[in-house]
């Protein structure tokens, strides 16, 4: 039974559960163990473990107090850099709880900020560097201004390879009592294009229709040219509306076969 969002439910919570980014994990784990963390810049494509690694660091550092010492912000939030600065200020005002002398702020999609906004961010990072460490995430480090880059340890995440994605996917397949044919698994890897979040979302959409995952079902979802459709199926499934999820999928299959594609 589908109960929640699998990318959240099955998100790795330990360093050794993160696949494909071995060098990064090794270096970040060493920094975490030393309890001496510089500002970090996680660069790379979507769905490769950037947010997940930030969370693992925070949980390892602060243990049960992690929530009090962690602030997550999204730079592409339409309200802009001033809201970011305001939130950072409020969060940084109080001392960290526990042994670690700083708190951690995760700023997702930092490359969505204009260069001017990044200058403001840089000043904020400097002002609070004693009490806060920043973990910035971005798709392209080249879109981050040099003064910020030079203040961060930079880690470049890569797309996941087929063999690397097997572990997280099999964990879900077992945990959810699904069956999947080797061909279907192959198609799932291909369709994910190295993005683990996409692979998991595709798997969950398909599983909302049948727990026997065939290559036919998977290809139908993947070959649908509209990612929007996949989102709708997933939303129905998450709300427990399996009937609608199934209908939407059948509808898609019909449309595809009419358009002459190999379903
Ligand atoms: N390297 C990885 N190892 C294991 N699971 C991963 C990895 N990267 C992504 N995932 C899975 O995909 C989901 C999205 O990953 P996330 O860390 O949020 O990606 P992003 O790089 O976009 O921040 C996670 O919940 C996790 O289940
Ligand atoms: Mg992320």
């Amino acid at each position: 039974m589908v109960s929640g969002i699998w990318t959240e439910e099955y998100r790795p919570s330990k360093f050794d559960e993160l696949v494909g980014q071995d060098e990064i994990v090794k270096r970040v784990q060493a920094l975490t163990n030393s309890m001496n963390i510089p500002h970090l810049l996680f660069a790379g494509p979507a769905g490769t473990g950037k947010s997940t690694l930030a969370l693992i660091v925070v949980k390892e550092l602060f243990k049960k107090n992690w929530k009090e010492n962690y602030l997550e912000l999204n730079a592409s939030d339409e309200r802009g850099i001033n809201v970011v600065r305001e939130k950072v200020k409020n969060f940084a005002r109080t001392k960290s709880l526990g042994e670690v002398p700083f708190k951690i702020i995760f700023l997702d999609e930092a490359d969505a900020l204009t260069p001017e906004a990044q200058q403001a961010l840089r000043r904020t990072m400097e002002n609070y560097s004693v009490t806060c460490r920043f973990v910035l995430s971005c798709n392209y480090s080249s879109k981050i201004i040099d003064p910020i880059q030079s203040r961060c340890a930079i880690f470049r995440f890569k797309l996941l390879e087929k063999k690397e994605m097997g572990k997280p996917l099999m964990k879900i397949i077992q945990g959810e009592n699904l069956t999947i044919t080797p061909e279907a698994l192959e198609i799932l890897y291909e369709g994910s294009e190295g993005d683990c979040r996409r692979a998991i979302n595709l798997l969950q959409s398909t599983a909302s229709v049948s727990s026997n995952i065939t290559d036919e079902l998977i290809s139908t979802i993947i070959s649908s040219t509209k990612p929007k459709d996949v989102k709708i199926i997933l939303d129905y499934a998450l709300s427990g509306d399996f009937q609608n999820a199934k209908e939407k999928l059948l509808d898609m299959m019909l449309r595809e076969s009419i358009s002459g594609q190999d379903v």
Side-chain angles (χ1 to χ4, degrees), residues 7 10-12 17-19 45-52 160 196-197 200:
T7 51
Y10 290 91
R11 191 189 285 279
E17 290 174 81
L18 209 74
V19 298
T48 54
K50 300 183 299 297
S51 301
T52 305
L160 296 184
C196 196
R197 182 190 290 109
I200 295 171

Side-chain angles (χ1 to χ4, degrees), residues 202-215:
L202 285 169
L203 183 67
Q204 186 166 15
S205 303
T206 314
S208 71
V209 177
S210 167
S211 56
N212 298 315
I213 314 280
T214 61
D215 46 349

Side-chain angles (χ1 to χ4, degrees), residues 2-3 36 39 44 49 52 57-58 73 94 106 130 168 174 191 198-199 219:
V2 178
S3 53
N36 187 8
H39 299 310
T52 305
V57 168
V58 165
L73 300 169
T94 57
F106 180 69
V130 176
Q174 282 163 8
R198 178 162 161 76
S219 1

Side-chain angles (χ1 to χ4, degrees), residues 39 85 88-89 92 119-132 134 151:
H39 299 310
R85 282 161 72 180
V88 167
K89 208 162 80 185
Q119 291 293 352
L121 171 65
R122 166 203 168 181
R123 286 191 292 276
T124 305
M125 287 170 76
E126 280 167 359
N127 289 342
Y128 298 100
S129 67
V130 176
T131 51
C132 288
F134 284 79
R151 279 169 178 75

Side-chain angles (χ1 to χ4, degrees), residues 36-84:
N36 187 8
I37 301 204
H39 299 310
L40 309 175
L41 179 57
F42 290 171
T48 54
K50 300 183 299 297
S51 301
T52 305
L53 183 57
L55 264 173
I56 293 173
V57 168
V58 165
K59 286 175 183 169
E60 284 287 325
L61 265 182
F62 302 109
K63 309 284 187 223
K64 64 177 182 8
N65 293 330
W66 73 270
K67 282 185 181 150
E68 289 77 16
N69 294 302
Y70 180 61
L71 176 67
E72 194 176 315
L73 300 169
N74 193 309
S76 69
D77 191 309
E78 73 279 9
R79 288 164 302 169
I81 187 66
N82 288 330
V83 174
V84 169

Side-chain angles (χ1 to χ4, degrees), residues 236-255:
Y236 279 137
L238 290 175
S239 68
D241 191 346
F242 298 99
Q243 193 52 38
N244 256 322
K246 213 170 275 190
E247 274 167 22
K248 180 76 190 165
L249 189 76
L250 290 174
D251 186 50
M252 269 165 60
M253 288 173 99
L254 189 64
R255 214 169 50 211

